[in-house]
Amino acid sequence: MPLPYPSLKPCPCGSGRSYAACCEPAHRGAAPETPEALMRSRYAAYVLQDEAYLLASWHPETRPGTLDLSDGTRYLGLRVYRAQGDEVTFTATLRLPDGHRAQLRERSTFARLDGRWVYVDGVTP
Ligand SMILES: [Zn+2]
């Protein structure tokens, strides 16, 4: 089960909007309109440990069978650098289970499947 999160608090994806006006509708079943919106909702799902959402928004050919977000990693922030076409480049700041901070930089690729954007995969740019 995802962690509870108040609708009126700033969205975990760092957009500056409320959760209700940003990623909450996606987490409740609405289809994000752009790859960036999907990417933000997936980052917020990592924050909220919403494994079911992450798996559901992953392309079936690349998604893992299971996902375990209870290893103690904390997601501290997201910066989106570029969103163009089906690609989004971002940096996520993490605190690893051992306490160290890490920057995850990725260029993600998305695809449309049955009218919805899904995450395909990512590379380090
Ligand atoms: Zn958001």
Side-chain angles (χ1 to χ4, degrees):
M1 287 293 288
L3 301 174
Y5 194 82
S7 296
L8 297 180
K9 274 183 70 175
C11 190
C13 81
S15 65
R17 292 185 288 161
S18 70
Y19 179 48
C22 191
C23 293
E24 187 175 28
H27 292 168
R28 294 184 180 279
E33 291 182 7
T34 63
E36 181 180 351
L38 176 64
M39 186 268 139
R40 287 183 169 281
S41 73
R42 286 176 50 84
Y43 173 83
Y46 276 102
V47 175
L48 302 179
Q49 300 179 12
D50 191 342
E51 290 149 1
Y53 180 78
L54 288 162
L55 291 172
S57 60
W58 213 309
H59 196 291
E61 287 177 15
T62 54
R63 86 176 147 222
T66 59
L67 202 57
D68 181 6
L69 301 182
S70 62
D71 69 352
T73 299
R74 294 276 170 186
Y75 293 81
L76 305 178
L78 172 69
R79 178 178 289 221
V80 176
Y81 289 96
R82 183 179 164 91
Q84 191 170 56
D86 60 2
E87 291 183 342
V88 181
T89 304
F90 65 92
T91 299
T93 304
L94 319 179
R95 192 170 67 233
L96 301 174
D98 66 7
H100 285 98
R101 279 190 178 221
Q103 300 267 358
L104 171 70
R105 189 165 170 87
E106 181 175 305
R107 186 175 70 236
S108 298
T109 300
F110 299 85
R112 263 176 109 76
L113 189 68
D114 299 329
R116 297 178 74 104
W117 287 105
V118 291
Y119 172 71
V120 179
D121 56 17
V123 296
T124 303

